[in-house]
Amino acid sequence: FAGNLKNKFKSNKTMEINNIGNNAGLIWNALNANGKMTETKLKKETALASADFYTALGWLAREGKINVVVETRCGKDCEYLSL
């Protein structure tokens, strides 16, 4: 029983890491195709659930593949995500 549970957990963990990587690819591809985007627009473009979106965003940040750009427009700061 314990061996089966351990193998099942290991399998789920690997699948989860693959999903995070795939979701990170969706975000990267959207930014690559469209240039800088607001968080809201990027989230809508990728159609990822919040947890999946932010986990994938963290993955890209950890790898140094994403930037936050702050621009002032009409007297207010706007944040954009870019490659």
Side-chain angles (χ1 to χ4, degrees):
F1 175 76
N4 289 338
L5 186 59
K6 185 177 179 181
N7 288 338
K8 185 174 183 177
F9 176 76
K10 187 175 183 179
S11 175
N12 287 342
K13 187 174 181 182
T14 301
M15 186 175 184
E16 196 172 296
I17 289 171
N18 288 338
N19 285 340
I20 295 168
N22 289 336
N23 292 340
L26 290 174
I27 292 172
W28 192 93
N29 287 329
L31 290 171
N32 189 50
N34 300 305
K36 68 182 178 188
M37 299 172 77
T38 63
E39 176 184 329
T40 303
K41 186 174 179 183
L42 181 57
K43 192 172 173 197
K44 186 175 181 179
E45 178 77 20
T46 59
L48 292 170
S50 288
D52 294 333
F53 178 80
Y54 292 111
T55 303
L57 204 57
W59 177 291
L60 290 170
R62 173 83 169 128
E63 291 186 344
K65 294 185 177 178
I66 198 160
N67 298 302
V68 177
V69 179
V70 179
E71 294 180 1
T72 303
R73 293 185 176 212
C74 300
K76 81 174 201 179
D77 289 340
C78 300
E79 292 184 357
Y80 297 92
L81 297 165
S82 70
L83 298 178

